[in-house]
Amino acid sequence: DTTVKQNPRYKLARVGKPVNLICSQTMNHDTMYWYQKKPNQAPKLLLFYYDKILNREADTFEKFQSSRPNNSFCSLYIGSAGLEYSAMYLCASRPGTGEDTQYFGPGTRLLVL
Amino acid sequence: GDQVEQSPSALSLHEGTGSALRCNFTTTMRAVQWFRKNSRGSLINLFYLASGTKENGRLKSAFDSKERYSTLHIRDAQLEDSGTYFCAARSGGNYKPTFGKGTSLVVHP
């Protein structure tokens, strides 16, 4: 199975409420990424896990949290959603060996009202 | 500053014609990947290159690390090729690919 799965596919959240997005892959990939994608913009890297090490981007450090309890699973957590969080959230994974390709999941479309 | 400059930002093609998308890099990149955004908003992998060229059907990609660029050629464009194309590149030892801003391609009859 060479797919990256994301749940839910669509999420409606209220301002100020928490949001938890889930990503999984069974390819035994070392690295898992979370991107935020807004219309007419390049995907913006939020954070990534290399094995068990979490790397968060400086400008999103306090806004997003993540956990990776095992190799296959990675979550993205927003403690208090704001209107500006409305976007597509893309999860990707990357093997540690061989062709160094990123594989993207189908995305979760988050709408904050 | 931006490490990946993608051009053009928008492209219009007649069905059956072709063109090239390009990404220039401001630093030496180790590898490049090309994606197409599908109708649901996710990114579909087209090519991964660490060097040289790859071809798949009507698509062909090239990557020159020394000259700091990559191209994606589309020939005999079809209506279903319409969409947004992204390149993403990473420098050596860096696990964080940098994306270009995308090329919005419209193929019309």
Side-chain angles (χ1 to χ4, degrees):
Chain A
D1 186 359
T2 58
T3 59
V4 177
K5 295 180 172 59
Q6 290 188 241
N7 287 295
R9 296 293 306 278
Y10 301 91
K11 175 70 177 177
L12 180 64
R14 295 294 180 187
V15 170
K17 297 297 184 183
V19 175
N20 195 46
L21 308 181
I22 296 170
C23 177
S24 65
Q25 51 84 20
T26 55
M27 297 176 279
N28 199 33
H29 284 178
D30 282 354
T31 309
M32 295 184 75
Y33 304 80
W34 279 101
Y35 290 86
Q36 182 190 66
K37 174 74 176 69
K38 293 186 176 182
N40 302 315
Q41 295 183 16
K44 177 182 173 59
L45 180 65
L46 301 176
L47 53 87
F48 68 95
Y49 263 99
Y50 173 62
D51 195 12
K52 298 178 181 179
I53 301 171
L54 174 61
N55 299 264
R56 287 191 284 183
E57 293 297 279
D59 58 343
T60 58
F61 186 88
E62 297 179 345
K63 298 179 179 179
F64 299 93
Q65 297 177 36
S66 183
S67 68
R68 192 178 187 188
N70 54 58
N71 176 270
S72 301
F73 178 95
C74 188
S75 66
L76 180 70
Y77 181 76
I78 302 168
S80 177
L83 296 175
E84 71 278 12
Y85 287 85
S86 292
M88 173 72 89
Y89 289 84
L90 296 169
C91 174
S93 69
R94 167 183 163 271
T97 59
E99 195 166 90
D100 222 359
T101 307
Q102 272 189 316
Y103 296 86
F104 279 82
T108 295
R109 192 171 294 279
L110 173 65
L111 178 61
V112 182
L113 299 174
Chain B
D2 291 334
Q3 292 182 299
V4 179
E5 299 167 357
Q6 186 171 347
S7 62
S9 58
L11 179 62
S12 179
L13 292 177
H14 282 289
E15 202 173 4
T17 63
S19 188
L21 286 57
R22 186 178 178 102
C23 283
N24 291 324
F25 312 121
T26 57
T27 188
T28 300
M29 296 297 185
R30 179 175 178 175
V32 67
Q33 204 168 345
W34 284 91
F35 299 91
R36 184 173 74 194
K37 185 163 71 78
N38 67 9
S39 58
R40 294 181 177 180
S42 187
L43 297 179
I44 307 302
N45 181 33
L46 298 176
F47 294 106
Y48 170 89
L49 298 100
S51 65
T53 64
K54 285 189 178 180
E55 191 166 353
N56 184 0
R58 296 178 291 101
L59 299 179
K60 180 178 179 179
S61 184
F63 173 51
D64 190 327
S65 177
K66 182 179 178 182
E67 297 300 322
R68 299 184 179 180
Y69 76 90
S70 177
T71 56
L72 177 68
H73 292 259
I74 301 173
R75 61 176 177 84
D76 187 24
Q78 303 298 304
L79 298 177
E80 60 266 27
D81 294 332
S82 295
T84 304
Y85 292 76
F86 290 94
C87 69
R90 69 182 188 93
S91 53
N94 186 334
Y95 298 112
K96 303 190 299 183
T98 300
F99 278 78
K101 293 186 176 181
T103 296
S104 178
L105 170 65
V106 175
V107 181
H108 48 89

